[in-house]
Structure formats: structure tokens, C-alpha cells
Amino acid sequence: MTKLSVNINKIATLRNARGGNVPDLLKVATDIQKFGAEGITIHPRPDERHIRYQDARDLKSIVYTEYNIEGNPEKSFIDLVLEIKPTQVTLVPDAVDDITSNAGWNTIKYGGFLTEIVQEFQRNGIRTSIFVDPVVEMIEGAKKIGTERIELYTEAFAHQHGLGNKGGIDPYVKAAVLANELGLGINAGHDLSLDNIQFFKQNIPGLLEVSIGHALIVESLYLGLDNVVNMYLQKLK
């Protein structure tokens, strides 16, 4: 079975927009696990525009499933991860001013850099995953780095699937087959949603984990609106 790790960045964004502690990030993380999710993902950025570094620390005692921290391995991020020691760290090459992740690592160009970081996390008992595009050379490069897992960057798949192009899955199938042959665990994330997740799961052999945030939170808002609006109407009668 493929595990679902829920990215709660958007909960923090909503909280920060108003100030205070509503919604309560820690309660949401607790409830998401209670509802059945097998993991919690966060992606803190240096400007702390959604998840704050203190959130990452506070969640350590709350997350009893798998705790996955994503981010670009600059010094403050590395120090944070080594302090918290989550289940997994996912290395993502996002620039400071990126709105969201938009590319996987060039595991050949940055192989030496990533190898040192991966080894440091592994020495501390933290499973590592490297965010990559579904490109054969990048998968092979990830294997040479020594990471336990890769996370397939799925935006291109999601875009093509939305256009009705089922062939958009093909590079991901090829990448997954190779990863399995090389002994790399496979995670996936970015723009996966209720519309495309089942098709993706059915076609990717050995898919261990998906990390879903934006779509899941948006879908939760919309699918819950009917219920909440009518609850208000009932209170006002």
C-alpha cells in the first residue's frame, strides 16, 4: 500500500494570514493522523512564510506516524533537521524566492554536494529522499549519491493528465522501473489530487509514499463547504 503523507504548509499559511493560532497547526496535524494519514510533511522556507522553524520543532512530539521535512539543504535547514531528527528528509532545490518547488535536482551536477549532505543525515538515522524529475540520468545520479529514496516531481504528469493525455505517465513509469531495479524507494509529489492520484498509483510500480498538500487542503475546503454552510444556517434558525 502507498502511504499518504499530508503536507500542512497551507494550514500554516492560513494561520499566518490572520495572526494568532487559528487554525491550530498542531491540532490539525494530530487530527490528520487520527483520520488515517500515515505521515505529516512540512516544507519550511528561510522566510518562514508558512511553516515556521518553531512549528517544525513543536511537531516533533505531535507526529507519531512518519515525519517528513522537505527543503533546500542550506545551513539553517540542515541544522534544523539534525536537531529534530524526523523520519525522513526530502532535499528539494527550491530558490529562496520560489513560490513553490518547480524542478528536481540535477543529481549529476550536484552529486558531490548532495552526497555529503545525505551521508550526514544518514549518520544521524534520518532516511533521505531526493526530489527528481522523471529522467533516467537523474535517477542513476541519485543512486550514486547513496540516497535511500527519490521523490518524483509530478507536476508535468498532473498537467498532462488534466489535458486528457494519459501518455504523460510514461516517463514516470520508466523512471519507477529503473528506480526499482536500482533499489531506490519511490515517493512522489506535486499537484497530485483526487482527479489523478488513482491513475498515478495504478501505473507506478513500487510507489511507497505520496506527499499531498495544496490539492488536498483545497479539496477539503470545497467538499466541506456544503456541510459547514448548512450548519451555520441551522444555528441561525
Side-chain angles (χ1 to χ4, degrees), residues 167-228:
I169 193 73
D170 294 345
Y172 293 87
V173 175
K174 186 175 180 180
V177 169
L178 175 60
N180 285 325
E181 291 174 354
L182 295 175
L184 290 169
I186 302 170
N187 299 340
H190 204 94
D191 288 349
L192 294 175
S193 69
L194 286 174
D195 291 332
N196 58 40
I197 187 63
Q198 187 170 26
F199 180 78
F200 188 81
K201 157 68 178 173
Q202 289 172 343
N203 284 276
I204 301 300
L207 181 62
L208 297 176
E209 175 185 301
V210 292
S211 175
I212 305 178
H214 183 78
L216 186 148
I217 300 304
V218 171
E219 289 158 348
S220 298
L221 286 172
Y222 190 77
L223 293 173
L225 276 175
D226 183 8
N227 182 45
V228 174

Side-chain angles (χ1 to χ4, degrees), residues 93 104-116 145:
W105 283 99
N106 182 328
T107 57
I108 298 171
K109 181 178 179 180
Y110 296 102
F113 168 71
L114 290 170
T115 298
E116 290 184 15
I145 289 166

Side-chain angles (χ1 to χ4, degrees), residues 149-168:
R149 294 192 185 185
I150 56 170
E151 179 172 330
L152 294 173
Y153 172 41
T154 50
E155 181 180 12
F157 155 74
H159 178 69
Q160 291 300 319
H161 188 273
L163 297 175
N165 177 19
K166 298 295 180 65

Side-chain angles (χ1 to χ4, degrees), residues 40 42 44 51-63 66-70 76-89 121 124-126:
I40 296 293
I42 60 171
I51 291 291
R52 299 166 182 156
Y53 274 34
Q54 189 57 47
D55 292 330
R57 297 182 180 98
D58 293 341
L59 283 162
K60 173 66 175 177
S61 62
I62 298 297
V63 180
E66 291 207 347
Y67 190 12
N68 175 45
I69 302 182
E70 302 179 340
S76 62
F77 177 84
I78 293 173
D79 291 344
L80 179 73
V81 173
L82 291 175
E83 174 190 343
I84 295 170
K85 292 185 171 58
T87 316
Q88 175 176 268
V89 58
F121 286 139
N124 283 272
I126 305 166

Side-chain angles (χ1 to χ4, degrees), residues 114-124 128 145:
L114 290 170
T115 298
E116 290 184 15
I117 293 168
V118 163
Q119 288 175 351
E120 179 65 14
F121 286 139
Q122 290 172 340
R123 280 193 293 268
N124 283 272
T128 60
I145 289 166

